[in-house]
Amino acid sequence: MGRTTDWWSYGGDAQRTGWEKNEQKFTKDDVKDFRLLWKMKLDNSQKGPGALMAPVIVGNLIGSRGFKELAIIAGSSNRLWAIDSDLARMYWHKDFGAPKKSGNRGSCRAGLTAMPTLSAPVVFHFPTTPARPSSTARKAPAGESQAAMMKRVFSPKPAYLVSSDGMLHRLNVDDGSDLEAPLAFLPANAQAHSLNVTQDAIYTSTSEGCGGSPNAVWGIDLSAAPPKVSSFVSRGAGFVGLGGAALGNDATVYAQTGAGKFDPDAHEYGNAVLALTPKDLQLKQYFAFPESASSGKTLDMNATTPLVFAYKGLDLVVAAGRDGRLYLLDSSALGGADHKTPLYQTPLISTGGIWGSLSSWQDIGGVRYVLAAVWGPLSSELKVPVTNGDAPNGSIVAFKVEEQDGKPVLTAAWASEDMQSPAPPVIAQGVVFALANGEYIRRIRKSRGSVRVEERPKNGTHAVLYALDAATGKQMYSTGDQVALPGSLTGLSIANGRLYFATTDNTMNVFGKYLQTEP
């Protein structure tokens, strides 16, 4: 049935691509037969958007109870669950204590807000493509004995989690126990985004000034004794994105800020993409979105994470502007000499905005695609050669990375059928899986000079999972009316023939290929 894989962090990797390259449990022909495998409602006291997160997946745990595939799920009420994915049974759960009220108003909430991560995978050899291996993966130490290597590989994998008191936990995935004493990482009740990890450092970002925390990118160097916490503070503008910070293949930390003033001399970095050094988080480069990207009709959706991928020996970065465009950046000169010049910017995609994060994959012919989850109708400025019907509410839009005049550009390839509030898609086996969360109503909030967009589900709406042909966007499968409630706005996870997503009632829904055991 093929080897098992982990979905070890948001987007499946440190670059936040959403691409499961090693999926072997299903083929493209199997997708039409996908079905509901199981669902489980979890005891999370808070409900609504963001209350239950998409899981990280341990593909093959060799643990105290045999071989297991675990879905590890975090809830806003400061709880963590490990579910045996094959048997749909609780494996263990852990309660980190009732969250203390933060005293904040607006979008701040008490509780756990950051999607956990597993440790970065161990890499023992490097493929010929991409052009260089990712330094965010754990590499086998030089001269390591075979016995030591095997012991490390088959020992329980740690999972990292930040509880609402700001403590970083390193947990044994076999039983949820702390492998070492928790470490002070963030201020309590900070609004943290998904964790990201290299072999020796953990990163996250914070926004909204929740819990009195500054808006910052945070890192903790686990190789230091004792572990050292660093931060890069942006006065005013918060850091945004469902996936938090993305890591380059050289471990550079990329983060995007929301609406705010941009004045580096005053340490104000609103409406920008920042490149920070690993561990100590010093500013390397920045790209300031053009004024048009902050003065148009599209308001800050508080929801985009930069995307990174290797391309012809360098890292390219793609970011979504508040003006509804995508910006393609060269990691070696993020915004050019003036910090404002991208390699390329797309025409206006939608005034409704681009939500969550971006996704990317590469086909067997070497063509690189970038995918965006668009809320609202497509702009007439964007010429899409392949469409799949009118999409007044939202859609997935795919772009190809092509060359023009010796430089990479993003060329529109296809747009999906209509979707209500789509999440960033995930990709495997030439199939794009997209979750329409259901219809969400936006409310604009103004506080302390900043503008925020908050979403709440409309009564009677429900989530729909779609499978699309990655070359054309044509529908291959849909869950239709099988899911009764809206999606939780925390994204999708995929591993080993299964798709996972949460709904607003704290139910984890799992669809995919039914794997029947041979007699």
Side-chain angles (χ1 to χ4, degrees), residues 452-483:
R452 298 193 298 271
V453 178
E454 297 178 353
E455 293 96 8
R456 63 180 178 85
K458 185 177 180 179
N459 291 336
T461 191
H462 67 88
V464 180
L465 176 67
Y466 294 89
L468 311 175
D469 187 311
T472 65
K474 182 178 179 180
Q475 184 189 135
M476 302 171 65
Y477 170 82
S478 164
T479 59
D481 295 329
Q482 293 183 66
V483 181

XYZ file of all heavy atoms in Angstrom, residues 452-483:
245
model
N -9.451 45.683 11.357
C -9.450 44.231 11.334
C -10.729 43.732 10.681
O -11.770 44.384 10.721
C -9.359 43.654 12.757
C -8.109 44.008 13.502
C -7.984 43.131 14.745
N -9.073 43.322 15.671
C -9.089 44.226 16.644
N -8.061 45.014 16.805
N -10.110 44.325 17.464
N -10.621 42.566 10.083
C -11.785 41.902 9.517
C -12.032 40.634 10.312
O -11.154 39.798 10.439
C -11.578 41.561 8.028
C -12.790 40.825 7.482
C -11.325 42.825 7.222
N -13.223 40.517 10.895
C -13.587 39.314 11.627
C -14.693 38.597 10.873
O -15.510 39.221 10.205
C -14.057 39.671 13.044
C -12.962 40.324 13.881
C -13.461 40.719 15.264
O -14.677 40.599 15.512
O -12.638 41.137 16.080
N -14.702 37.270 10.978
C -15.697 36.480 10.265
C -16.551 35.678 11.229
O -16.067 35.204 12.255
C -15.007 35.515 9.286
C -14.287 36.191 8.140
C -12.810 36.381 8.397
O -12.301 35.856 9.411
O -12.169 37.084 7.602
N -17.811 35.540 10.900
C -18.696 34.637 11.631
C -19.572 33.906 10.619
O -19.957 34.464 9.592
C -19.561 35.385 12.649
C -20.517 36.396 12.060
C -21.319 37.080 13.178
N -22.213 38.102 12.656
C -23.435 37.873 12.192
N -23.894 36.641 12.160
N -24.196 38.856 11.755
N -19.870 32.640 10.867
C -20.635 31.866 9.882
C -22.092 32.310 9.819
O -22.690 32.682 10.829
C -20.507 30.432 10.396
C -20.238 30.568 11.861
C -19.457 31.831 12.028
N -22.644 32.254 8.634
C -24.056 32.562 8.445
C -24.885 31.346 8.830
O -24.483 30.206 8.611
C -24.308 32.916 6.976
C -25.721 33.362 6.664
C -25.838 33.767 5.199
C -27.257 34.216 4.880
N -27.385 34.633 3.454
N -26.033 31.568 9.439
C -26.903 30.468 9.849
C -27.267 29.582 8.653
O -27.601 30.073 7.570
C -28.187 31.005 10.487
C -27.927 31.653 11.840
O -26.936 31.346 12.501
N -28.822 32.543 12.258
N -27.205 28.266 8.878
C -27.605 27.321 7.853
C -26.529 26.957 6.853
O -26.746 26.105 5.987
N -25.355 27.568 6.970
C -24.295 27.263 6.021
C -23.540 26.007 6.441
O -23.587 25.593 7.599
C -23.334 28.460 5.905
O -22.464 28.284 4.809
C -22.490 28.604 7.172
N -22.815 25.382 5.501
C -22.051 24.176 5.842
C -20.833 24.054 4.948
O -20.768 24.634 3.855
C -22.924 22.921 5.736
C -23.357 22.588 4.343
N -22.610 21.800 3.484
C -24.468 22.935 3.644
C -23.243 21.676 2.337
N -24.375 22.349 2.397
N -19.855 23.282 5.402
C -18.611 23.083 4.669
C -18.783 22.024 3.584
O -19.582 21.095 3.719
C -17.504 22.669 5.633
N -17.992 22.168 2.522
C -17.944 21.181 1.433
C -16.481 20.961 1.071
O -15.735 21.920 0.826
C -18.718 21.653 0.189
C -18.646 20.596 -0.909
C -20.163 21.979 0.530
N -16.074 19.695 1.030
C -14.739 19.332 0.580
C -14.785 18.972 -0.906
O -15.622 18.164 -1.322
C -14.204 18.152 1.390
C -12.849 17.588 0.963
C -11.740 18.604 1.209
C -12.559 16.284 1.696
N -13.889 19.581 -1.697
C -13.810 19.316 -3.127
C -12.462 18.692 -3.468
O -11.436 19.028 -2.861
C -13.934 20.613 -3.934
C -15.273 21.305 -3.840
C -15.519 22.246 -2.846
C -16.279 21.038 -4.759
C -16.748 22.897 -2.758
C -17.509 21.688 -4.686
C -17.733 22.609 -3.680
O -18.947 23.258 -3.601
N -12.460 17.812 -4.456
C -11.234 17.332 -5.092
C -11.251 17.820 -6.530
O -12.218 17.593 -7.267
C -11.150 15.809 -5.040
N -10.186 18.505 -6.949
C -10.103 19.110 -8.275
C -8.909 18.558 -9.029
O -7.842 18.301 -8.444
C -9.946 20.637 -8.154
C -10.903 21.380 -7.229
C -10.516 22.848 -7.152
C -12.344 21.221 -7.690
N -9.057 18.369 -10.313
C -7.929 18.010 -11.157
C -6.933 19.174 -11.124
O -7.278 20.310 -11.455
C -8.411 17.767 -12.590
C -7.319 17.231 -13.490
O -6.218 17.809 -13.509
O -7.552 16.229 -14.194
N -5.699 18.885 -10.710
C -4.735 19.957 -10.501
C -4.300 20.635 -11.789
O -3.752 21.743 -11.759
C -3.502 19.411 -9.775
N -4.550 20.009 -12.937
C -4.175 20.603 -14.220
C -5.249 21.532 -14.770
O -4.942 22.454 -15.532
C -3.872 19.511 -15.243
N -6.519 21.305 -14.388
C -7.626 22.060 -14.990
C -8.571 22.698 -13.981
O -9.355 23.570 -14.339
C -8.462 21.136 -15.895
O -9.087 20.119 -15.079
C -7.594 20.475 -16.953
N -8.558 22.246 -12.732
C -9.508 22.730 -11.741
C -10.863 22.070 -11.809
O -11.780 22.423 -11.049
N -11.047 21.105 -12.693
C -12.332 20.431 -12.843
C -12.623 19.558 -11.625
O -11.758 18.844 -11.129
C -12.335 19.570 -14.104
C -13.659 18.871 -14.378
C -13.602 18.064 -15.674
C -14.920 17.347 -15.942
N -14.866 16.552 -17.195
N -13.885 19.584 -11.166
C -14.264 18.808 -9.997
C -14.186 17.304 -10.275
O -14.697 16.810 -11.276
C -15.691 19.153 -9.557
C -16.111 18.438 -8.285
C -17.579 18.597 -7.937
O -18.246 17.642 -7.582
N -18.087 19.818 -8.040
N -13.571 16.574 -9.338
C -13.487 15.126 -9.393
C -14.309 14.472 -8.289
O -14.679 13.304 -8.386
C -12.024 14.680 -9.258
C -11.095 15.261 -10.310
S -9.354 14.902 -9.958
C -9.369 13.112 -10.120
N -14.569 15.229 -7.212
C -15.278 14.683 -6.050
C -15.761 15.850 -5.213
O -15.139 16.915 -5.166
C -14.344 13.793 -5.226
C -14.905 13.370 -3.883
C -15.782 12.295 -3.784
C -14.555 14.050 -2.713
C -16.296 11.908 -2.556
C -15.064 13.668 -1.481
C -15.941 12.601 -1.405
O -16.458 12.227 -0.195
N -16.876 15.634 -4.528
C -17.404 16.623 -3.596
C -18.151 15.904 -2.478
O -18.813 14.884 -2.723
C -18.343 17.596 -4.317
O -19.136 18.321 -3.406
N -18.070 16.436 -1.276
C -18.828 15.857 -0.160
C -20.271 16.323 -0.154
O -21.073 15.811 0.642
C -18.177 16.222 1.185
O -18.134 17.655 1.326
C -16.767 15.660 1.279
N -20.642 17.264 -0.994
C -22.035 17.697 -1.078
C -22.576 18.175 0.252
O -22.009 19.070 0.891
N -23.679 17.565 0.689
C -24.342 17.965 1.934
C -23.988 17.053 3.116
O -24.693 17.056 4.128
C -25.864 17.953 1.738
C -26.330 18.985 0.727
O -25.676 20.046 0.624
O -27.326 18.731 0.037
N -22.915 16.289 3.003
C -22.587 15.340 4.066
C -22.142 16.019 5.365
O -22.299 15.450 6.440
C -21.476 14.392 3.599
C -21.885 13.459 2.476
C -20.753 12.511 2.112
O -20.354 11.662 2.910
N -20.231 12.662 0.913
N -21.576 17.213 5.252
C -21.126 17.944 6.447
C -22.186 18.976 6.789
O -22.585 19.777 5.949
C -19.764 18.626 6.191
C -19.289 19.354 7.448
C -18.731 17.599 5.741
